[in-house]
Every structure is written in structure tokens, then in C-alpha cells.
Amino acid sequence: MKIELKNIKVHLGLSEETHAYTAMLYVDGKKAVEVSNQGHGGGDYQYPVNGQSVEKINDWCENNLPKWSLSEAQGGGAVAGAMEKEFKTDLEMWCHNQVNDHLIMKDMKRGLASKALYVREGDGQLMQMGFRGVRKYNSRMSDVVRKESPGAVILNDLPLEDAFVLYKSHG
């Protein structure tokens, strides 16, 4: 089974505790579930379309997607250690991760359009370099970054998927 979340529309002004969003879940290239959240901290609304079973898709997610973990403090008032708790990734968690990735990608693309984004060698910090009065990225910006920060990985020069992985992990 291949699942994709498409047509994601996030309404940041309505988001309080969770993202207020609407999207369409596709299974094997076909519309399967309309997904939405009102942004008030409650669960997603999941409306099946084309005779799909939300329960079946959720079961597939829990049995096939990587688990996620959460550290929990132990030891009463003082933190004596941390215990990892693992959880199955259900459809709702997967959808929320997709919405987060959508927002991160949007933010990265906005930065790439006007600045040189790069990961600095040594400390691995995500940096950006823009030029006063310049509204659109051009390759000369990368040349300046290479001179000032040799060894930096310039996201503008990478395929979008590779740039996203670095942006997400260093941003």
C-alpha cells in the first residue's frame, strides 16, 4: 500500500493547539479519505471516499510505518533518568507529520527563493545569506558563501529532497 497526503491547506490563523488543516489522503494513487482538523487540540476528522475503510488504512499504518518514541522523565520530582516510550504510528499521527513536513518545505522554498541557505561546516548550523536589495536568489550568492565558509553545504545547489532532509535536521 502506498499512501500520500495531497491538497494540504493549512489555516494558521485558526490553529490553536494543533494545525487547522484540510487534505486528501490517497491510497495507491486513488482518493481514499478526506482528512481535516479544526485546530483546537482535538482529533482529526477522517471521512472515507470511494468505499475505502479508514480502519483498514489505520491498521496498515500501525503495522507498517516506523514507530515513534517519547521520552518520559522518571524519579518523581527530580529527573533521575528518562524512559523511552514507543508508540505505533497511526493514520492521524502520520497525517500530522505530513502537514508539518508540508509547512517546513514551504518555509524552506521561501528561503531558497531569495537567499543562499547553507549548513556551516564544523558546527552544522543552518545559516542564510541574503543581499540588501536582492529579492531573488542567484548563483553568485553561493559563490560568496563558498568564499566565506569553505566546506559549507549549500542547499540551493542540492536536489529539493536532499535539501529538505538537511533543512529539517539542522533547522
Side-chain angles (χ1 to χ4, degrees):
M1 183 181 293
K2 180 183 177 195
I3 59 175
E4 296 176 273
L5 199 62
K6 297 182 179 183
N7 307 324
I8 300 170
K9 292 176 183 69
V10 182
H11 311 283
L12 293 175
L14 300 175
S15 299
E16 292 176 7
E17 295 181 26
T18 54
H19 291 304
Y21 76 98
T22 60
M24 180 61 71
L25 177 77
Y26 285 73
V27 174
D28 297 328
K30 295 179 182 170
K31 287 183 180 182
V33 181
E34 289 180 32
V35 183
S36 65
N37 192 299
Q38 294 180 339
H40 302 297
D44 284 354
Y45 296 99
Q46 301 169 339
Y47 302 103
V49 295
N50 297 329
Q52 296 288 331
S53 166
V54 173
E55 186 176 313
K56 182 179 173 185
I57 297 167
N58 191 59
D59 289 344
W60 182 89
C61 290
E62 289 181 353
N63 293 318
N64 292 283
L65 297 176
K67 292 181 179 182
W68 59 280
S69 61
L70 182 67
S71 292
E72 186 176 88
Q74 297 176 343
V79 178
M83 185 172 105
E84 286 280 319
K85 277 187 133 180
E86 274 197 342
F87 301 92
K88 291 182 177 184
T89 301
D90 62 5
L91 178 59
E92 184 170 5
M93 177 59 76
W94 182 84
C95 288
H96 283 255
N97 289 338
Q98 297 303 301
V99 171
N100 287 334
D101 285 353
H102 169 79
L103 292 172
I104 293 167
M105 177 68 84
K106 191 174 178 179
D107 186 56
M108 182 189 77
K109 284 181 177 179
R110 190 178 315 114
L112 290 172
S114 60
K115 298 176 177 81
L117 300 181
Y118 61 100
V119 176
R120 196 164 53 191
E121 186 178 42
D123 64 3
Q125 248 189 321
L126 180 65
M127 306 295 290
Q128 62 182 10
M129 182 180 288
F131 297 91
R132 188 173 299 168
V134 178
R135 293 185 178 175
K136 189 173 180 187
Y137 169 81
N138 70 57
S139 61
R140 289 181 287 166
M141 293 177 175
S142 292
D143 295 338
V144 174
V145 169
R146 281 187 200 90
K147 286 180 185 171
E148 290 188 13
S149 187
V153 178
I154 302 170
L155 276 58
N156 304 68
D157 297 341
L158 299 175
L160 197 59
E161 296 80 23
D162 296 340
F164 178 73
V165 170
L166 287 174
Y167 188 86
K168 188 175 172 181
S169 64
H170 292 280

